[in-house]
Amino acid sequence: MHRKYSNELCPEMDGQEVRVAGWVEDVRKLGSIAFIILRDREGRLQVTAIKKEMGKERFTELITLPRESVVEIKGKLQKSAEARMGFEILPTEFKVLSKAEVPLPLGVVDKVNAELDTRLDNRFIDLRKDEVRAIFKVKSLVCAGIRNYLLGNGFVEVHTPKIVFAGAEGGATLFEVEYFGRKAFLAQSPQLYKQTLMATGLDRIFEIAPAFRAEPSDTVRHLSEFISLDVELAYINTSEDVMQVLENLVAATIEYVVKNGEKELKLLNCEVRVPKVPFRKIPHRECLEILKSMGWHGGVDIDTEGEKLLGEYIMQNYGEEFLFITEFPTELKRGTFYAMRKDENPELTGYFDLDYRGQELTSGGQREHRYEKLKTQMLENNLKLEAFEPYLKAFRYGMPPHGGFGLGVDRFVQKMLNLTNIREAVLFPRDRLRVTP
Ligand code: 4AD
Ligand code: MG
């Protein structure tokens, strides 16, 4: 007999023999009868144990099981007006698959909210809560929506190495690893590889994979390991072509989640809005003016507070949640050695950030594909060209113009679901202080 999930059973199956399994969420004892709430992936079931039917010993064994023990139960489904689901299971046989220790390190049905750290320390139990699991079902839908859109638009999914020869996003956040007596690094982003692939004929690619950054500060939006969606496309004219792919992708992905994640979004009490394309674009210099008029006291770099204010600005003035900050000044992108500067004004790049609800979600733009210019920009950053030779080589034998972006998938989920901390959108988050569980 096949095991059934709770949502596969209904009162109309009255009288049928069924087999179910799950965690003992709660036991209510009323003398010679007891109600056991059994929880599985899909929901809850009521198992009604009757001493007279089961025999004293088996009855006692079942109803004294500690909470969160795992049992398999065979029994008869019986229609019942009193049971929450309109039916109950009368056990004829049961098997204890795993007995839980007492006390639990974290409650599943407790009313009091545990601290995030306690929850993360006991993540396997934390994930037994429906609303916590729902976050990861949404995350799965986000990835499915991304793939659905990109594969449908001529992009090829690739996998680039995570143990690499050089960093691409600045030395400060590089994790070094010992690699058979040599020095290697954990990939901060697939940047060098996705650009290299533009010289191959795989001219529209994407990757969804972990990226590693030794982020020195503890914030609610940075982790030392995160999931990056990277997209790269060749034969573009300007950064505008990249922004177009990005906005269509983001809108299509949100639409996919809204369509397929109705149950999860309801459980999480989230109203997710499908944005209209094209997204609003405001050049970086104009953003600074807007911020000054709002009393912001930053310099040229738009910080967390600035992003938040801009998010409020576009929400209040236009009712929008997405904003492209375009034409980043070269001054701010100098460290991004691969960013193309404008030929007509080298003080500006075509680089952009896409902000979602007042937080950076994506950075991207057109890359410098001209070998000599790229080399000059790298030298400006004091990079040793020999160390980057495997990358540079790809620019000497026919490299089409190209561009792309990196989008933080965990951040996307965080903002979509209004989660205070990015860690809530990651099963087992990694940060400066946490490498377990
Ligand atoms: O802005 P970043 O650093 O850009 C790049 O990695 C470029 N290679 C992208 C490109 O193609 N030009 O990272 C891209 C995105 C950020 O906007 C953010 O959403 C996310 O990745 N991200 C992080 N998410 C969580 N924790 C961290 N430490 C993150 N660092 C970046
Ligand atoms: Mg960025």
Side-chain angles (χ1 to χ4, degrees):
M1 201 195 309
H2 269 304
R3 177 168 71 93
K4 290 267 198 282
Y5 283 122
S6 52
N7 66 343
E8 295 175 295
L9 305 176
C10 59
E12 289 67 44
M13 294 165 80
D14 188 45
Q16 285 188 25
E17 281 286 321
V18 295
R19 188 160 72 90
V20 295
W23 289 269
V24 174
E25 187 168 277
D26 196 19
V27 183
R28 265 178 297 143
K29 299 166 200 165
L30 300 167
S32 57
I33 188 166
F35 303 109
I36 296 140
I37 303 299
L38 192 73
R39 187 188 67 248
D40 66 16
R41 189 179 88 170
E42 301 297 335
R44 282 153 191 82
L45 286 168
Q46 179 183 305
V47 176
T48 306
I50 301 165
K51 192 172 178 176
K52 179 165 101 228
E53 305 277 327
M54 298 180 73
K56 188 175 169 210
E57 214 170 294
R58 288 294 271 168
F59 176 78
T60 310
E61 192 190 344
L62 182 61
I63 71 165
T64 55
L65 275 176
R67 272 188 184 186
E68 297 302 313
S69 296
V70 180
V71 286
E72 183 184 85
I73 294 179
K74 259 195 214 163
K76 202 173 86 182
L77 190 147
Q78 179 171 288
K79 212 163 149 174
S80 153
E82 287 91 66
R84 210 194 318 166
M85 298 186 69
F87 66 87
E88 60 194 340
I89 311 283
L90 302 173
T92 47
E93 263 179 63
F94 74 87
K95 213 183 335 175
V96 179
L97 300 178
S98 170
K99 198 165 170 173
E101 279 184 27
V102 183
L104 293 168
L106 178 74
V108 178
V109 285
D110 297 3
K111 290 277 173 289
V112 279
N113 283 334
E115 292 281 330
L116 184 57
D117 260 325
T118 313
R119 290 178 45 202
L120 294 176
D121 284 340
N122 300 284
R123 197 54 153 164
F124 69 97
I125 296 189
D126 188 44
L127 283 156
R128 292 184 190 178
K129 298 172 201 154
D130 300 328
E131 67 280 9
V132 178
R133 273 197 324 283
I135 295 171
F136 297 96
K137 291 193 191 165
V138 170
K139 197 171 187 177
S140 165
L141 289 174
V142 164
C143 292
I146 289 170
R147 289 200 168 92
N148 187 50
Y149 179 81
L150 290 173
L151 293 172
N153 282 276
F155 286 83
V156 172
E157 181 165 10
V158 300
H159 305 279
T160 65
K162 302 304 151 210
I163 302 174
V164 299
F165 63 86
E169 316 296 339
T173 62
L174 259 184
F175 278 117
E176 209 176 294
V177 288
E178 218 213 71
Y179 191 72
F180 302 112
R182 267 183 296 165
K183 196 157 92 175
F185 308 96
L186 295 182
Q188 291 169 308
S189 94
Q191 188 64 35
L192 306 184
Y193 294 93
K194 58 179 182 170
Q195 287 194 256
T196 301
L197 288 174
M198 294 303 101
T200 66
L202 286 171
D203 60 10
R204 285 162 90 84
I205 59 103
F206 74 102
E207 175 167 15
I208 302 175
F212 305 90
R213 309 251 175 121
E215 296 287 353
S217 50
D218 304 316
T219 78
V220 294
R221 37 190 210 118
H222 288 94
L223 291 172
S224 43
E225 177 175 340
F226 65 98
I227 299 298
S228 181
L229 161 68
D230 279 88
V231 171
E232 201 72 21
L233 55 154
Y235 299 101
I236 60 167
N237 290 313
T238 64
S239 293
E240 296 281 331
D241 299 329
V242 181
M243 284 189 265
Q244 205 175 52
V245 170
L246 174 56
E247 64 195 0
N248 286 323
L249 165 72
V250 164
T253 302
I254 296 180
E255 195 180 347
Y256 186 93
V257 172
V258 168
K259 231 184 226 160
N260 297 284
E262 209 183 332
K263 195 171 120 206
E264 284 72 28
L265 294 178
K266 208 170 143 197
L267 189 61
L268 289 161
N269 215 352
C270 279
E271 212 187 297
V272 178
R273 290 166 47 194
V274 180
K276 283 203 183 68
V277 292
F279 295 166
R280 187 166 302 276
K281 297 186 180 93
I282 306 183
H284 190 274
R285 59 184 174 279
E286 279 177 39
C287 286
L288 292 181
E289 274 159 33
I290 292 168
L291 285 172
K292 277 188 197 117
S293 77
M294 292 176 85
W296 177 70
H297 293 295
V300 245
D301 206 356
I302 300 174
D303 57 5
T304 314
E305 180 59 21
E307 285 175 2
K308 214 176 111 208
L309 286 170
L310 285 172
E312 284 165 18
Y313 176 84
I314 57 154
M315 178 44 77
Q316 273 159 20
N317 288 279
Y318 310 109
E320 294 167 2
E321 300 180 313
F322 284 94
L323 171 68
F324 273 120
I325 303 174
T326 61
E327 303 196 316
F328 265 70
T330 300
E331 183 186 352
L332 293 179
K333 286 291 171 190
R334 224 175 277 281
T336 308
F337 62 81
Y338 48 80
M340 182 182 270
R341 299 169 191 173
K342 297 200 173 211
D343 283 339
E344 70 281 9
N345 179 4
E347 287 316 305
L348 280 187
T349 72
Y351 255 63
F352 58 81
D353 268 9
L354 176 64
D355 285 13
Y356 181 21
R357 295 181 168 170
Q359 183 173 294
E360 178 193 327
L361 173 67
T362 311
S363 293
Q366 181 165 13
R367 326 297 189 186
E368 184 51 76
H369 67 283
R370 295 161 296 187
Y371 182 62
E372 291 303 330
K373 288 208 162 165
L374 178 60
K375 260 193 343 192
T376 309
Q377 293 185 187
M378 291 177 83
L379 289 171
E380 228 178 65
N381 276 285
N382 298 317
L383 294 176
K384 289 200 185 72
L385 297 186
E386 314 85 76
F388 285 82
E389 172 56 15
Y391 164 73
L392 281 169
K393 198 173 181 182
F395 289 78
R396 292 200 296 264
Y397 304 93
M399 171 63 93
H402 61 274
F405 56 84
L407 178 152
V409 173
D410 321 276
R411 269 199 204 175
F412 196 9
V413 174
Q414 182 195 359
K415 293 315 279 185
M416 192 184 289
L417 301 180
N418 271 320
L419 305 173
T420 329
N421 197 318
I422 191 170
R423 288 162 184 75
E424 293 181 67
V426 178
L427 286 172
F428 303 103
R430 291 290 172 259
D431 60 35
R432 213 163 51 91
L433 302 172
R434 183 179 284 282
V435 274
T436 56

